[in-house]
Amino acid sequence: MYERYQTMKFDLSSSGVLTVTFLRADKLNAIDADFHRELSTVFADIGMDRRVRAVVLTGAGRAFCAGGDLEWIAGETPVTRETTFFEAKKIVDDLLNLPQPVISAVNGAAAGYGFTMALMSDFSIVAEDARLSDPHVVIGLVAGDGGAMMWPILVGMARAKRFLLTGDPVVGRVAAEWGLVTESCPVDEVLPRAMEWAERMAASPHVAVQGTKKALNAILHMLSSVTLDLGFQAERVSAVSEDHQRLVGAALEARDRRRAAAAARQ
C-alpha cells in the first residue's frame, strides 16, 4: 500500500503502530510539490489499512517539518496553486477523518502546515527546545491552512492572534505549559514517549477509542466548515499580492546569504 510514497518511510509494528517518517531531512522536511501531493493521499490510505491501530508522525534529521519549501512557493503558478489548495483542503479533511489515533513526535522545528499537522494530531509530543510557529504572515500569506482553526481552540483567541498575526515562534516547553501541545520532553525522549502513547492507543479498545475521537473531531469539522474555506479563500488572494512576492524573494536572498557565509567559514 505504501510503496508508491517517496517522501515518507513507513514502519508497521506487530502491535499495529504505523510510524510515518518524513524524508526531506536535508530541507528540514519542508514541503514541496511532491511531498504535498503525497500528504494529500497518505491519511486516506492509512485510514483504510485495518492493520493499523495507531499512527506516529515524525521527521528525519533535526526537524519535524519546516512548512512550505520557499523555492516551491516562489515557483507556484496560478494553475499549480489551485492544485495546491485542493490538496491542502484534502490533507486537513483526511487527517481529521483518520479513525486511528495520531501521535506527532515533534523532534525539532515545526512551522506552518508542518506545525498544523502536529496540532491536528490527537497527541503532540514536542522537544522542549523546538521552535514552533505559523509564519505565514512573515512571507505575506494568510494563515489559512488550519492554523487559524487550531490555535484559538487550543490556547484562546488572544494568544492565537498574538502568534498568528506576527508569525513569532514559541518553544516546546512553553507550548506544553499553555496546552498548545500535549507535552514536551528532551529531544532524545520525544520519539520513545510518542511510541509509548501509540502502544497504549493500539492496545486500547479500538471501537471505543475511534468512536470517541470521531465525536471530538466533530467539533473541529464544524470549525473547519467555516474557518478553513474562508482561510483558503483569503490565502488565494494573498498568494498573488505584491507583499507576498517581495517577502518570498527577500527570504530566499537571506537564505542564500546565510549559506554563502556558512560555506566561507568552512
Side-chain angles (χ1 to χ4, degrees):
M1 180 180 291
Y2 306 112
E3 291 178 355
R4 65 188 176 90
Y5 288 94
Q6 301 298 312
T7 64
M8 302 170 230
K9 180 178 72 172
F10 301 84
D11 296 291
L12 181 63
S13 74
S14 59
S15 60
V17 174
L18 179 69
T19 302
V20 182
T21 305
F22 307 141
L23 293 180
R24 302 194 76 225
D26 59 324
K27 298 286 189 178
L28 300 180
N29 300 310
I31 300 170
D32 66 356
D34 291 337
F35 191 5
H36 200 264
R37 183 180 63 254
E38 292 190 350
L39 284 170
S40 74
T41 61
V42 68
F43 298 119
D45 282 348
I46 294 171
M48 292 188 294
D49 188 347
R50 296 309 171 198
R51 301 170 301 168
V52 177
R53 299 291 293 268
V55 182
V56 173
L57 304 178
T58 194
R62 59 190 179 90
F64 178 72
C65 177
D69 187 306
L70 285 175
E71 292 179 351
W72 171 51
I73 293 171
E76 286 265 80
T77 68
V79 173
T80 63
R81 194 175 292 117
E82 283 306 303
T83 299
T84 296
F85 281 117
F86 174 82
E87 290 173 350
K89 179 66 162 59
K90 189 172 184 299
I91 294 168
V92 174
D93 288 342
D94 287 353
L95 186 50
L96 292 180
N97 284 324
L98 188 64
Q100 301 96 328
V102 181
I103 299 91
S104 284
V106 183
N107 52 302
Y113 191 74
F115 189 38
T116 299
M117 280 194 289
L119 296 183
M120 288 194 296
S121 299
D122 304 300
F123 298 84
S124 46
I125 316 303
V126 306
E128 291 174 333
D129 58 352
R131 289 170 62 86
L132 314 171
S133 64
D134 194 325
H136 276 75
V137 297
V138 175
I139 57 169
L141 286 176
V142 171
D145 59 5
M149 175 178 72
M150 295 306 303
W151 280 71
I153 199 170
L154 292 169
V155 295
M157 188 61 75
R159 280 182 174 146
K161 287 184 175 180
R162 159 70 179 85
F163 287 92
L164 292 180
L165 295 179
T166 64
D168 289 346
V170 57
V171 295
R173 67 178 65 88
V174 174
E177 291 170 2
W178 290 351
L180 183 61
V181 299
T182 305
E183 62 182 72
S184 67
C185 57
V187 64
D188 59 347
E189 298 177 15
V190 169
L191 187 56
R193 183 63 176 149
M195 293 302 298
E196 287 180 18
W197 280 113
E199 292 290 351
R200 180 174 176 181
M201 290 295 97
S204 298
H206 72 278
V207 174
V209 167
Q210 293 182 13
T212 301
K213 172 179 174 171
K214 185 174 183 179
L216 289 167
N217 276 9
I219 300 169
L220 299 180
H221 279 295
M222 287 191 344
L223 290 174
S224 172
S225 66
V226 177
T227 305
L228 208 61
D229 288 342
L230 187 62
F232 279 139
Q233 181 181 355
E235 192 170 352
R236 278 185 174 90
V237 175
S238 68
V240 296
S241 68
E242 292 182 4
D243 278 342
H244 173 58
Q245 305 304 318
R246 173 177 57 83
L247 290 168
V248 168
L252 286 169
E253 290 176 5
R255 184 204 63 184
D256 291 341
R257 287 194 299 270
R258 290 193 300 271
R259 288 180 176 176
R265 289 194 297 269
Q266 293 177 351

